[in-house]
Amino acid sequence: MKVFGTLRVPGDKSISHRALIFGALSSGESRVTDILQSADVHSTAGVLRSLGAEIPELSGDFVIRGRGRGLAQPTRDLDCGNSGTTTRLMAGVVSASPIEATFVGDASLLVRCAQAWLAAGNTVTAVASRSDEVAAWAEAEGLQFER
């Protein structure tokens, strides 16, 4: 099924993340205008670039050249910064692709993700290079953290 047309909506964080993701996963070109210029949206753009999407610097009007359904195997960790939205949305996108990826972020993001996993009854293991940073945040949040 092919969909054609123009959709004009005001820029906000939720729509901006999704505009980048849909553009990257589509075949051909997608024009994006009035995207929200936030750190979280820039994180999503960076992750998508690491997965092979052609996304230029974010501006008021730009074109994404999508990869269709085929994401590229990343050559480095996917840095989500402090964006939980980037982490959650992109984990879903990556999980549907035949690639392997490691998601990283700042200590606050890692602790928030760990809290969600622990609340679901899972076990969380920190990457050794980040364990001191994560342990400090966990302690500040009143969480028990073992290395």
Side-chain angles (χ1 to χ4, degrees), residues 39 42 46 56 100 123 126:
H42 280 274
E100 292 184 18
T123 302

Side-chain angles (χ1 to χ4, degrees), residues 4 10 19-20 30 32-33 38 42 45-46 49 53 61 65 69 74 83 87 91-92 115 126 141:
F4 297 92
L20 292 172
S30 298
V32 179
T33 59
S38 72
H42 280 274
R49 287 183 193 111
D61 189 348
R65 286 173 182 69
R69 297 191 71 161
S83 178
T87 307
Q115 286 174 319
E141 294 292 320

Side-chain angles (χ1 to χ4, degrees), residues 13 17 36-46 58 79-83 86:
K13 187 170 78 165
H17 284 288
L36 181 69
Q37 294 281 335
S38 72
D40 286 2
V41 173
H42 280 274
S43 291
T44 295
L58 303 185
D79 188 355
C80 298
N82 189 31
S83 178
T86 299

Side-chain angles (χ1 to χ4, degrees), residues 50-137:
S50 295
L51 295 168
E54 291 183 43
I55 300 176
E57 286 299 313
L58 303 185
S59 65
D61 189 348
F62 61 95
V63 173
I64 298 171
R65 286 173 182 69
R67 294 189 52 90
R69 297 191 71 161
L71 298 175
Q73 176 65 47
T75 58
R76 62 182 185 269
D77 292 344
L78 302 178
D79 188 355
C80 298
N82 189 31
S83 178
T85 301
T86 299
T87 307
R88 288 185 297 277
L89 293 177
M90 292 309 305
V93 169
V94 168
S95 72
S97 303
I99 61 173
E100 292 184 18
T102 300
F103 290 82
V104 298
D106 69 12
S108 172
L109 178 67
L110 295 174
V111 168
R112 291 192 329 264
C113 289
Q115 286 174 319
W117 276 92
L118 290 169
N122 297 299
T123 302
V124 176
T125 304
V127 176
S129 64
R130 303 295 299 268
S131 65
D132 289 342
E133 192 176 0
V134 173
W137 270 93

